[in-house]
């Protein structure tokens, strides 16, 4: 009989905790789980494979002598209504790691091709005037005044402008291509990874389009400040800040990018009730209704009492709409290449393809970076390059 693989109990304990599960909940599928968590045990490859899939923990981690250092220090990231999350899920952790791998490839590729760091990364501070900073960012993106007014393509316009500036924009609603590992909008809506050569914005694709527009704008401000949601106190300007002040500033600038105060004042019609105004303004400028509501309160166009009443209703509506959107997507299935292509930044995909053709990277690496292989990879690259 083949000898099993010795696994330390502390690794099993860590894996269970990391997956957000408990021993009792696993006992039906693993009758030896109590033993594995209490003493050093020999597990067969089959048992480890099954445990790895159940806990969604990389197989190789079970060979370690002590738990891996996965302290990504993700203290704050965009959530629904800014609700605090005690600990990032396995899905979020794995998504961040995958994005870091893509970012690392792109950084090396840009340096190899002779590109220089972006000057806009870390060029601002939280003491800057929000309106002035919003104007600077909009100008850098080459967006015209009222660029998003009555523009149904607002999300694509903003995403393309950001990508053209050299910022990677990725999105997905699942981990990689695994439709069983859904990214929960209630946990996070977006995050940004700062790098002077290739900053990266990741969007939860399960969010609404208007909400993703605001997330893009919000994360742009993080890039200008040079601070990402990993909050390692190492960002470019070496500022001191608290999370509340930072997020408030980012929200203010993002709102100014999408809905300048002057535009908001002109759009608000006192002849209509607040609820109708919010709906109309959100539709006109293609921003979230919650953003409009918050902005009306911040600019003292509506009072606290009215805000509390309307905001609660809008929040409930938003959650119901997201649930409906997710159910519809589950039923429709969608087009593979359209869905997979939308997840990728065009510049990133074309760079991977070029480096593979030039022999700078192996096709196996290209397949992993793109998330497809063989003919599917070829067709997906053609689809994305055609979009460019």
């Amino acid at each position: 009989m083949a000898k099993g693989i010795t696994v330390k109990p502390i690794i099993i304990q860590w894996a269970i905790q990391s997956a957000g599960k408990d021993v009792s909940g696993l006992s039906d599928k693993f009758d030896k789980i109590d033993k594995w968590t209490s003493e050093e045990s020999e597990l067969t490859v089959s048992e480890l494979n099954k445990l790895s899939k159940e806990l969604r923990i990389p197989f190789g981690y079970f060979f370690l002598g002590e738990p891996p250092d996965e302290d990504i220090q993700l203290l704050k990231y965009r959530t629904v209504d800014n609700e605090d999350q005690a600990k990032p899920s396995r899905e979020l952790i794995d998504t961040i790691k995958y994005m870091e791998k893509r970012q690392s490839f792109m950084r090396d590729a840009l340096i190899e091709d002779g590109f220089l760091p972006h000057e806009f990364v870390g060029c601002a501070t939280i003491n800057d005037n929000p309106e002035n900073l919003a104007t600077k960012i909009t100008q850098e993106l080459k967006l015209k005044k009222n660029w998003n007014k009555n523009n149904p393509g607002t999300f694509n316009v903003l995403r393309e402008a950001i990508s053209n500036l050299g910022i990677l924009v990725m999105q997905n609603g699942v981990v990689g291509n695994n439709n069983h590992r859904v990214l929960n909008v209630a946990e996070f809506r977006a995050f940004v990874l700062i790098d002077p050569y290739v900053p990266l914005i990741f969007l939860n694709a399960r969010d609404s389009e208007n909400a993703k527009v605001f997330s893009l704008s919000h994360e742009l401000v993080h890039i200008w400040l040079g601070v990402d949601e990993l909050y390692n106190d190492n960002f470019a300007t070496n500022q001191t800040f608290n999370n509340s002040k930072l997020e408030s500033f980012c929200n203010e600038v993002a709102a100014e990018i999408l809905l300048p105060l002057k535009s908001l004042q002109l759009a608000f019609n006192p002849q209509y009730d607040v609820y109708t105004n919010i709906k109309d303004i959100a539709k006109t400028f293609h921003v979230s209704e919650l953003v409009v509501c918050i902005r009306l309160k911040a600019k003292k166009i509506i009072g606290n009492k009215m805000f509390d009443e309307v905001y609660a209703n809008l929040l409930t509506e938003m959650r119901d709409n997201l649930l409906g959107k997710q159910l519809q997507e589950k039923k429709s299935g969608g087009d593979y290449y359209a869905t997979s292509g939308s997840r990728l930044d065009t510049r990133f995909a074309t760079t991977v393809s070029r480096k593979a053709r030039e022999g700078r990277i192996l096709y196996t690496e290209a397949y992993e970076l793109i998330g497809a292989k063989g003919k599917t990879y070829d067709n997906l690259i053609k689809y994305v390059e055609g979009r460019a």
Side-chain angles (χ1 to χ4, degrees), residues 67-84:
D69 180 13
E70 286 196 318
D71 182 15
I72 59 173
Q73 301 177 34
L74 199 64
L75 304 182
K76 187 72 176 179
Y77 38 91
R78 294 216 67 237
T79 64
V80 173
D81 201 28
N82 295 318
E83 295 175 350
D84 290 335

Side-chain angles (χ1 to χ4, degrees), residues 294-327:
I294 293 171
R295 193 132 173 83
L296 288 173
K297 177 194 173 186
K299 297 307 176 184
K300 303 188 184 305
I301 298 175
I302 63 173
N304 291 340
K305 184 178 180 181
M306 178 61 70
F307 169 82
D308 291 340
E309 178 183 332
V310 176
Y311 189 84
N313 291 332
L314 292 173
L315 188 59
T316 299
E317 285 182 8
M318 182 208 68
R319 286 172 168 153
D320 290 344
N321 290 337
L322 283 178
L323 181 59
K325 174 178 180 283
Q326 291 160 15
L327 290 173

Side-chain angles (χ1 to χ4, degrees), residues 188-242:
F188 84 102
R189 312 187 87 158
F191 62 78
V192 61
L193 300 176
I194 299 297
D195 183 279
Y197 284 89
V198 54
L200 182 151
I201 295 174
F202 181 88
L203 303 171
N204 190 330
R206 299 176 71 81
D207 212 348
S208 70
E209 188 155 300
N210 284 352
K212 288 193 292 183
V213 168
F214 188 79
S215 289
L216 279 174
S217 303
H218 178 98
E219 305 303 1
L220 274 176
V221 186
H222 273 280
I223 292 172
W224 254 253
L225 292 173
V227 54
D228 57 26
E229 274 81 355
L230 300 184
Y231 289 179
N232 55 16
D233 293 330
N234 262 337
F235 60 109
T237 50
N238 292 320
Q239 305 167 67
T240 57
F241 62 92
N242 60 63

